[in-house]
Amino acid sequence: MEVRLRRRDWNGKVVNVHTTKKKVSGHEEIITERQVPNALYESLMQQADSYRQTIHKNRKSFIWKGQYFELDTYLNLPEPLTILETKGITEDEDVRFPPFVRVLADITCNKKYYNYNLALRR
């Protein structure tokens, strides 16, 4: 089971989210998210894996030709990294990339780019 704790700051408002992911079969997982108060967030952060660092990123979300995208720019990694993620696009549907996006590589299912691995202290 994977546990993730996030703090999102948007226009001065802070929201803490506790997420658990549990695999139930090859490609299926159960994801549970709940909002937690600041005190619980701080308490849980004290239990965080010391081999990992907090990831800081700037997320821009947008819709292009009916498809939803999230563009994450990582702010505290040793090398610059920006990842574009699609949401809600079926396997038999082609991704319609906007002309202002240049795709360098398809990293789908590449564990090197999972947040869990990007957070490893180097």
Side-chain angles (χ1 to χ4, degrees):
M1 178 164 57
E2 178 184 335
V3 177
R4 182 181 295 172
L5 190 59
R6 291 181 304 222
R7 173 170 274 174
R8 292 183 174 170
D9 185 345
W10 187 63
N11 290 339
K13 181 174 169 127
V14 175
V15 175
N16 306 309
V17 179
H18 180 268
T19 304
T20 58
K21 290 183 179 184
K22 182 178 180 183
K23 277 212 183 276
V24 291
S25 69
H27 296 294
E28 293 181 330
E29 60 187 6
I30 296 173
I31 300 173
T32 306
E33 291 188 324
R34 67 184 175 117
Q35 191 170 334
V36 296
N38 288 333
L40 180 54
Y41 174 87
E42 297 299 335
S43 174
L44 291 169
M45 283 301 291
Q46 296 300 315
Q47 302 169 38
D49 183 347
S50 62
Y51 292 105
R52 288 180 167 68
Q53 64 182 337
T54 299
I55 293 176
H56 297 278
K57 57 185 168 182
N58 186 338
R59 172 170 286 169
K60 296 187 185 302
S61 303
F62 62 93
I63 297 173
W64 179 262
K65 294 194 176 184
Q67 295 180 336
Y68 180 78
F69 295 88
E70 292 178 345
L71 186 67
D72 290 340
T73 300
Y74 291 79
L75 305 174
N76 64 325
L77 297 181
E79 296 180 22
L81 179 64
T82 300
I83 295 177
L84 179 69
E85 185 176 350
T86 60
K87 299 281 186 170
I89 298 173
T90 62
E91 288 183 18
D92 59 325
E93 186 179 3
D94 289 333
V95 177
R96 295 185 291 277
F97 293 104
F100 53 85
V101 171
R102 186 172 63 125
V103 178
L104 300 178
D106 180 355
I107 60 168
T108 305
C109 298
N110 185 335
K111 292 182 180 181
K112 174 183 174 183
Y113 295 99
Y114 288 11
N115 283 329
Y116 183 79
N117 293 323
L118 291 173
L120 279 170
R121 293 185 187 274
R122 292 170 174 46

